Amino acid sequence: MSLYERWCDATREKDKRKYYWTYVEKHGGRDEIQGDLAETIRSHYDRLERIAEDVDRLGYKVAAEILSEAMPQTSKGRSGDLGEILATELVEEEIGLRVPVRRLRYKDGRNMAMRGDDFIGAGYDSKGEKLWLLKGEAKSNKVLGKATVTSARKVLNRDSGRCTPDSLLFVANRLLESNDPDEYALGRSLRDEVGLKSLRADRIDHMLFTISGNGPHASLKQDLEATGTNRDQYVVNIHVKDHQDFIAAMYQEAEDLGDD
């Protein structure tokens, strides 16, 4: 079972190309996924095999120090990053597109927010021929309100609803550094798209992802109702009542690699 299946109960509504998904933690769900989610958090900041190599060479304590240097230490930074991490995992589990670059590995500073699109999903159509993209905004708030939702939608709509060129080029260039032929081919397709801008709107989906302590604010559904139907539109909320305590606990576990 996927992380979300074990962690949450989901309610999904669909109207044409509009998807409204809400998730609430199951009883015992957090305990079920806590270890796996901690490992997932680590994997967004560094390759797991590299962390394991650090443990082999230097021991758990020093390896944990190295990992900690990549992770934000402020509550705001952790909140924002975890929103992106959980959004990425949802896209790959539920939509079938990949988020091919873990961009948090490339931050300028561990407490700094990255510019550009929060996450980009990429893949091909059912025939494996035509490029398909998803542009995403992730918001993590103790109390989610209309201003945050409006701001996120504004970002999704900029650049005519396309992935911002700098964000798409960043993903493309990372993939072009790969020795894997499939990764390289996807990177080439993305780089071509930066220049050609040939994708129609109906192959650039949008996702507004939120995780909040107050659950799905009414503005989320209102926002979705106001969107067009020329692309798939996903509006998602993860309701975690103890939002800030949850984030703090998950980062504490992610930084704890064990002991000698």
Side-chain angles (χ1 to χ4, degrees), residues 27-39:
H27 178 71
R30 187 181 302 186
D31 292 337
E32 172 72 21
I33 59 93
Q34 190 160 326
D36 289 341
L37 181 54
E39 184 170 272

Side-chain angles (χ1 to χ4, degrees), residues 12-22 149 153 156 206-208 217-229 231-236:
R12 297 183 177 90
E13 300 175 19
K14 179 183 178 183
D15 180 15
K16 297 179 181 177
R17 298 190 69 175
K18 299 181 181 183
Y19 299 81
Y20 184 69
W21 295 348
T22 58
V149 175
R153 180 58 60 186
L156 287 171
H206 285 175
M207 177 180 282
L208 199 170
H217 191 268
S219 60
L220 282 172
K221 186 165 280 191
Q222 293 165 2
D223 170 84
L224 182 60
E225 290 171 350
T227 62
T229 56
R231 55 168 50 94
D232 285 355
Q233 294 278 2
Y234 297 89
V235 171
V236 181

Side-chain angles (χ1 to χ4, degrees), residues 43-208:
S43 74
H44 278 258
Y45 293 99
D46 208 341
R47 295 182 181 277
L48 293 176
E49 58 268 29
R50 189 175 294 158
I51 297 172
E53 182 181 348
D54 289 340
V55 171
D56 289 341
R57 288 176 57 86
L58 304 167
Y60 287 99
K61 184 177 180 180
V62 177
E65 288 289 337
I66 295 172
L67 178 62
S68 177
E69 289 299 325
M71 291 184 172
Q73 300 303 302
T74 66
S75 57
K76 181 179 180 181
R78 288 177 170 182
S79 179
D81 280 12
L82 188 58
E84 292 190 26
I85 291 168
L86 291 173
T88 294
E89 297 304 313
L90 184 74
V91 168
E92 296 193 336
E93 288 183 9
E94 300 291 350
I95 297 180
L97 293 175
R98 294 177 55 221
V99 181
V101 172
R102 299 304 192 239
R103 75 179 201 136
L104 297 181
R105 298 176 184 176
Y106 301 92
K107 294 177 75 170
D108 292 333
R110 62 181 180 176
N111 292 314
M112 295 177 64
M114 294 187 73
R115 295 183 295 274
D117 299 327
D118 285 346
F119 55 99
I120 292 176
Y124 297 94
D125 63 6
S126 57
K127 295 182 180 179
E129 298 172 352
K130 296 181 179 180
L131 183 66
W132 205 286
L133 296 176
L134 180 142
K135 177 180 183 178
E137 270 295 297
K139 298 296 181 183
S140 177
N141 299 80
K142 179 181 179 181
V143 179
L144 177 67
K146 183 176 181 179
T148 298
V149 175
T150 300
S151 173
R153 180 58 60 186
K154 183 177 180 180
V155 173
L156 287 171
N157 287 337
R158 71 185 178 191
D159 290 280
S160 301
R162 295 180 174 278
C163 302
T164 55
D166 56 335
S167 298
L168 198 58
L169 190 60
F170 173 82
V171 175
N173 288 344
R174 300 293 76 73
L175 292 172
L176 287 170
E177 293 166 357
S178 174
N179 294 321
D180 183 299
D182 292 334
E183 297 276 276
Y184 187 91
L186 180 57
R188 186 65 259 178
S189 294
L190 296 180
R191 191 173 172 94
D192 291 351
E193 173 59 20
V194 172
L196 297 173
K197 296 180 173 60
S198 59
L199 280 189
R200 301 192 310 258
D202 63 356
R203 286 194 281 128
I204 306 174
D205 299 335
H206 285 175
M207 177 180 282
L208 199 170

Side-chain angles (χ1 to χ4, degrees), residues 24-25 30 141-142 211-215 238-246:
V24 179
E25 288 187 294
R30 187 181 302 186
N141 299 80
K142 179 181 179 181
I211 175 171
S212 61
N214 61 329
I238 316 296
H239 182 199
V240 179
K241 290 183 178 180
D242 59 335
H243 176 267
Q244 293 180 308
D245 290 341
F246 167 69

